[in-house]
Amino acid sequence: MDGSINDGSGGQTRMFDNAEIGALAHLYRGEVYRSTLWRTRLDHTTNWAVVTTGLALSLTFAGPYASPLPLLLVGLLVIVFLLFEARRYRYFNVWRARCRLMETDMYGPILRGEGVVMDGKWNTLLAQDYIKPHFHISYWRAIGRRLRKNYAYILAVQAVAYFGKLAIHPVPVPDWSEFLARAAIGPIPGIYVVLAGVAFHGGWIFVALHSFLIEKRARAGRSLISIA
């Protein structure tokens, strides 16, 4: 594996020797371990969101006259879990990106029988990420990713369950005015509760779509090799 080859531009590109390949293999194992650990932490927050939503559904549909308030409160709690998970995802994305870069530019060439070459591209990119570590995506993009992957479904279930509770309990709702009357919370009129719910769910839909457009623009301008 040692020696050098011509890089096609008149210069010399050094190949990794056996000791360096061994060190990189251990580095890859470490990054896989860290990405797996943070992947588990991501699953924990998602599980918390699912469990609390299930608990709210159980309380709300325990009987015809049970209050729909738990479903409203769990929506806010799910957003808190989403914010926690987005912060964790930014860390996970660092380890995952490093693993992926080594897979495509180190293990891929090995499996093709080409050897691993220090071409000044992927190895420099990875080295700079170790020397000056930083998050590869913004907090906003992380929130959008977790929304589109997991939390959109949880929040959709919460919205449908809340609407269904008001529509069928204790008897099927006869008209819109009765629906609003059931939505009222203490002194807060039902119309304000419903509008707040529409704004709440419209807000996360906007975040999911807007962050998706940001993702598309970021990927369109991405160079051939990128750690993010």
Side-chain angles (χ1 to χ4, degrees), residues 214-227:
I214 295 176
E215 292 273 3
K216 289 186 64 177
R217 288 196 296 267
R219 291 174 181 175
R222 188 174 62 182
S223 59
L224 179 61
I225 182 171
S226 174
I227 201 166

Side-chain angles (χ1 to χ4, degrees), residues 191-206:
I191 184 63
Y192 294 124
V193 176
V194 171
L195 289 177
V198 171
F200 173 78
H201 289 282
W204 70 254
I205 291 173
F206 169 79

